[in-house]
Amino acid sequence: MSTQPVIPSFTAHNGFALPAIGLGTYALNGDAGATAVAGAIGAGYRLVDSAFNYENEGSVGRGVAQSEVARDEIIVTTKLPGRHHPSEKARTSIEESRSRLGLDVTDLHLIHWPNPSQDEYVQAWAALVDAQARGVVRQIGVSNFLPEHLERIEKETGVRPVVNQIEVHPFFPQEEQIAYHREQGILTEAWSPLGRARALLEEQVIIDVAAAHEITPAQTVLAWHVARGTVSIPKASSLEHQLSNLAAAEVVLDEAEVAAITALGRPDGRLFGADPRTHEES
């Protein structure tokens, strides 16, 4: 009988903890998406990441309901879209996400992008603060926020996010931003942790580290995230890939291996040039 891997966790400034590896659900939709989510939870995942704009909150919620794991053991995340930043729209969006997920409470609700040119992200954050006070959201955070955005929302509301979900992978290691998060007690979640590109997994340094540990290149990259204290949320629809990704949490890389992989970073390493200073999400 196989045993589930022991997943380390990382803790935010308020004591909230996330497992080192969660399940990304972008493009996991419909019945197949619900089945994939339920299977992942059965395999040992306790963090599931969704978003209003993924148009799969219903399937994610159904997968959570179909699993045999106690609801209070699962952290369900969703995100508020850019078009819902104004106060009233934000309040409705938060409630709508809860309804779509079929949950009384969402465990972790994030602002998806700051959209600074609209200058409405503080309103969105205030709506999340209110939702937490009303008990309809347990923990609140953000995604793709820069330090200037993080500092502003805390200054104007007095509440610091527990999580900032940002683009992190070896081609874009985000050393300064992660160091800032660590100082502030904000957990870093990495979206697209494998870079969405086969080119990354074909880098010789990753192949060499994988061989040394007798693991796959993808597991090597996920182990690199764990070693750096970042939560990764790789998408995987098949149970085989889900189990393989989760097993990477138990792999321990040494400092030299971590540094060699981090050295793959590039100035133009973003996947699609989505700079939070200018990117607009609808």
Side-chain angles (χ1 to χ4, degrees):
M1 182 177 176
S2 63
T3 58
Q4 292 181 345
V6 177
I7 312 301
S9 62
F10 306 125
T11 305
H13 58 82
N14 67 347
F16 176 62
L18 286 179
I21 295 181
L23 180 72
T25 67
Y26 180 77
L28 296 184
N29 305 81
D31 291 347
T35 299
V37 169
I41 294 170
Y45 284 83
R46 294 297 179 265
L47 170 63
V48 180
D49 182 82
S50 181
F52 194 102
N53 272 355
Y54 296 173
E55 297 182 346
N56 70 350
E57 288 171 310
S59 293
V60 168
R62 199 147 50 84
V64 171
Q66 288 173 0
S67 78
E68 297 180 356
V69 174
R71 170 67 186 94
D72 62 5
E73 292 184 25
I74 306 166
I75 300 168
V76 181
T77 307
T78 193
K79 308 182 194 78
L80 180 79
R83 62 188 178 280
H84 295 166
H85 280 194
S87 298
E88 287 305 312
K89 287 184 177 180
R91 182 182 176 114
T92 301
S93 181
I94 293 163
E95 294 170 353
E96 185 66 30
S97 282
R98 208 172 85 227
S99 296
R100 292 182 183 197
L101 287 161
L103 303 176
D104 292 332
V105 181
T106 49
D107 302 300
L108 178 60
H109 215 117
L110 314 178
I111 299 175
H112 209 150
W113 286 85
N115 287 14
S117 69
Q118 296 179 23
D119 197 23
E120 295 169 334
Y121 63 89
V122 175
Q123 290 184 58
W125 182 244
L128 282 176
V129 171
D130 175 68
Q132 186 178 37
R134 289 187 289 120
V136 298
V137 174
R138 288 196 173 94
Q139 300 289 339
I140 56 177
V142 296
S143 184
N144 301 298
F145 274 45
L146 298 171
E148 63 207 60
H149 306 136
L150 292 166
E151 289 168 6
R152 183 179 173 196
I153 60 174
E154 182 175 2
K155 180 180 179 181
E156 298 200 22
T157 66
V159 179
R160 179 179 301 177
V162 294
V163 166
N164 189 13
Q165 187 181 119
I166 59 175
E167 179 180 354
V168 185
H169 46 78
F171 286 160
F172 196 61
Q174 294 263 46
E175 290 184 274
E176 290 184 10
Q177 179 99 15
I178 290 172
Y180 175 84
H181 290 169
R182 193 174 294 116
E183 291 171 2
Q184 300 297 315
I186 298 171
L187 296 175
T188 302
E189 272 192 308
W191 59 259
S192 291
L194 299 175
R196 286 190 196 160
R198 182 163 294 278
L200 173 61
L201 302 183
E202 293 175 348
E203 287 286 339
Q204 193 60 49
V205 63
I206 290 176
I207 292 171
D208 291 345
V209 173
H213 290 268
E214 299 182 334
I215 57 177
T216 68
Q219 288 177 317
T220 301
V221 175
L222 295 176
W224 171 80
H225 284 285
V226 176
R228 301 176 83 224
T230 63
V231 176
S232 57
I233 44 172
K235 186 192 79 172
S237 56
S238 74
L239 184 59
E240 179 185 3
H241 283 143
Q242 290 170 355
L243 289 169
S244 176
N245 289 344
L246 208 56
E250 293 186 308
V251 177
V252 179
L253 304 185
D254 65 33
E255 290 184 9
E257 291 169 329
V258 173
I261 295 171
T262 304
L264 292 172
R266 306 170 176 177
D268 61 347
R270 290 188 190 277
L271 289 175
F272 56 96
D275 186 338
R277 291 180 179 83
T278 56
H279 183 73
E280 294 293 314
E281 184 238 12
S282 63

